[in-house]
């Protein structure tokens, strides 16, 4: 998934039936200030995965609240997991991880943390989407941290 190995069963709940899977975008582990990829099934947007480095250390809740307002129509409820590092909202979730000491990028922007976000356009079962998104983030975040030297 976007350059990070993920087991098929971790992403299966987010893909509808179809005959053609298309991916566009970059790998999450490329060291750029922002990266990500989109997946589409039969030309219908299905999953958006992105990684951003941050100069400050935003909370997962703060980012999720902004996304819930932007992407969730009337459902702006945000749920934060026990660690406080992952927050979910209708059809999406975000994880924030510290990345102290990571060198600035080519533009000289400092990086103290990064976030990985997932927006699912077609979860097969909305009642299970929050748990599946959280588990997928728990798989992606360590791989992105390791690849980027955090």
């Amino acid at each position: 998934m976007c350059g990070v190995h993920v087991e098929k069963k971790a992403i299966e709940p987010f893909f509808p039936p179809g005959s053609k899977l298309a991916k566009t975008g970059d790998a999450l582990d490329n060291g750029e200030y922002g990266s990500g990829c989109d997946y589409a099934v039969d030309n219908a947007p299905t999953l958006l995965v992105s990684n951003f480095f941050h100069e400050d250390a935003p909370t997962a809740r703060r980012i999720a609240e902004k996304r819930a307002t932007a992407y969730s129509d009337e459902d702006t409820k945000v749920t934060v997991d026990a660690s406080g590092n992952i927050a979910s909202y209708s059809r999406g979730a975000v994880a924030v991880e510290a990345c102290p000491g990571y060198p600035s990028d080519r533009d000289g922007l400092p990086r103290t943390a990064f976030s990985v976000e997932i927006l699912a356009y077609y979860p097969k079962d909305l009642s299970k989407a929050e748990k599946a998104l959280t588990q997928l983030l728990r798989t992606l975040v360590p791989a992105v941290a390791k690849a980027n030297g955090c």
Side-chain angles (χ1 to χ4, degrees):
M1 167 157 288
C2 301
V4 176
H5 175 74
V6 175
E7 290 186 29
K8 183 179 176 182
K9 73 178 190 173
I11 59 172
E12 217 169 36
F14 305 110
F15 288 90
S19 59
K20 182 181 176 191
L21 177 66
K23 175 190 162 251
T24 58
D26 301 318
L28 295 175
D29 56 3
N30 66 6
E32 295 293 323
Y33 203 76
S35 61
C37 69
D38 296 276
Y39 290 91
V41 174
D42 295 337
N43 296 321
T46 304
L47 201 64
L48 167 66
V49 184
S50 59
N51 169 48
F52 293 98
F53 281 93
H54 302 274
E55 296 176 42
D56 58 353
T59 64
R61 175 183 289 283
R62 190 172 87 198
I63 296 171
E65 286 171 347
K66 287 180 184 177
R67 300 302 188 256
T69 301
Y71 300 133
S72 300
D73 298 325
E74 296 174 15
D75 182 6
T76 58
K77 177 183 167 223
V78 170
T79 304
V80 180
D81 81 331
S83 73
N85 295 336
I86 299 175
S88 57
Y89 55 94
S90 177
R91 300 195 186 277
V94 59
V96 175
E97 186 77 26
C99 192
Y102 193 87
S104 298
D105 72 355
R106 293 185 287 254
D107 298 323
L109 297 170
R111 304 173 183 192
T112 60
F114 72 91
S115 62
V116 177
E117 300 179 47
I118 302 171
L119 179 61
Y121 294 93
Y122 183 88
K124 289 180 183 174
D125 184 347
L126 277 173
S127 67
K128 295 178 183 178
E130 182 178 313
K131 182 178 179 183
L133 285 167
T134 299
Q135 289 178 335
L136 182 54
L137 282 170
R138 284 194 179 116
T139 300
L140 291 174
V141 168
V144 172
K146 181 179 178 183
N148 286 302
C150 297

